[in-house]
């Protein structure tokens, strides 16, 4: 049977530091991706079926926000003022560009109407520079379903973190 009392203090400290190293590496990779993609959230998970058949619920999307000349047909991820969940939809109309502010109208592929009802009160279009997080440049199918399960069943987060922490501490080198 495993016991913390049987571990040498140096072993325990090594395991704790290994766990901290894993967490800090993941954080640095996330921040590095954010800087490279010029996006606060360079990776998002599709949470609904509004973009089917192009993207399924649980797909991971890779975003890029370096090119500001978004075209009709491009899939963008945007935030609405007052809501913290990003929305993944396709650009169906664009106004402006060049010297003028680029304004976009979006719609989910599986939706009947455009997104004007989703935008903030009094907002008819998205401002490309303020509202859009990034354009989709790639995706990984279904890998993000773990994120959906963790958000729908919060107790799974505690179990998963506990098991990961226990495995790091119990693992011997």
């Amino acid at each position: 049977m495993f016991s913390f009392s049987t571990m040498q203090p140096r072993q325990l400290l090594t395991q704790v530091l290994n766990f901290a190293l894993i967490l800090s590496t993941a954080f640095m990779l996330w921040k590095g991706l954010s800087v490279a993609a010029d996006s606060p959230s360079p990776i998002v998970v599709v949470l609904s079926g509004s973009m089917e058949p192009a993207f399924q619920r649980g797909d991971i999307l890779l975003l890029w926000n370096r090119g500001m000349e978004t075209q009709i047909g491009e899939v963008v991820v945007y935030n609405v003022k007052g809501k913290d969940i990003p929305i993944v939809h396709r650009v169906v109309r664009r106004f402006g560009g060049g010297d003028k502010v680029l304004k976009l109208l979006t719609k989910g592929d599986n939706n009947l109407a455009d997104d004007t009802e989703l935008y903030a009160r009094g907002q008819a279009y998205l401002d490309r520079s303020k509202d859009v997080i990034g354009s989709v440049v790639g995706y990984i199918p279904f890998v993000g379903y773990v994120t959906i399960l963790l958000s729908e069943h919060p107790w799974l987060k505690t179990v998963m973190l506990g098991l990961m922490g226990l495995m790091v501490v119990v693992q011997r080198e």
Side-chain angles (χ1 to χ4, degrees):
M1 182 92 196
F2 173 78
S3 171
F4 286 111
S5 61
T6 61
M7 286 186 82
Q8 298 293 326
R10 185 176 223 149
Q11 273 183 319
L12 183 62
L13 182 62
T14 300
Q15 296 300 336
V16 169
L17 287 175
N18 280 339
F19 187 62
L21 181 64
I22 290 168
L23 290 177
S24 63
T25 301
F27 179 74
M28 287 187 298
L29 284 171
W30 179 262
K31 285 301 179 186
L33 276 173
S34 293
V35 169
D38 193 25
S39 175
S41 184
I43 299 172
V44 296
V45 175
V46 177
L47 299 175
S48 74
S50 68
M51 280 302 292
E52 290 179 359
F55 301 113
Q56 307 292 320
R57 191 168 188 249
D59 290 353
I60 288 183
L61 304 180
L62 309 172
L63 306 183
W64 190 256
N65 201 30
R66 293 270 176 203
M68 298 300 256
E69 283 299 318
T70 305
Q71 301 301 317
I72 293 174
E74 202 170 314
V75 178
V76 296
V77 178
Y78 65 91
N79 273 335
V80 176
K81 295 171 188 76
K83 298 178 185 172
D84 59 348
I85 297 176
I87 298 172
V88 180
H89 282 171
R90 191 176 305 277
V91 175
V92 293
R93 250 190 209 151
R94 58 176 266 152
F95 302 95
D99 295 341
K100 298 179 183 175
V101 175
L102 180 58
K103 296 192 177 281
L104 307 172
L105 179 65
T106 56
K107 176 186 171 294
D109 288 357
N110 203 19
N111 294 349
L112 297 175
D114 62 39
D115 292 349
T116 51
E117 294 296 321
L118 297 175
Y119 300 159
R121 182 177 291 248
Q123 184 178 10
Y125 301 100
L126 296 173
D127 182 333
R128 173 62 178 93
S129 62
K130 294 179 184 172
D131 299 321
V132 176
I133 298 172
S135 296
V136 177
V137 293
Y139 77 102
I140 305 169
F142 299 112
V143 176
Y145 219 90
V146 173
T147 304
I148 293 173
L149 288 174
L150 291 175
S151 65
E152 289 178 353
H153 307 287
W155 60 272
L156 279 174
K157 287 180 193 175
T158 307
V159 170
M160 194 169 107
L161 284 173
L163 287 173
M164 287 171 45
L166 187 64
M167 285 174 31
V168 167
V169 172
V170 171
Q171 179 186 10
R172 296 179 186 248
E173 291 182 8

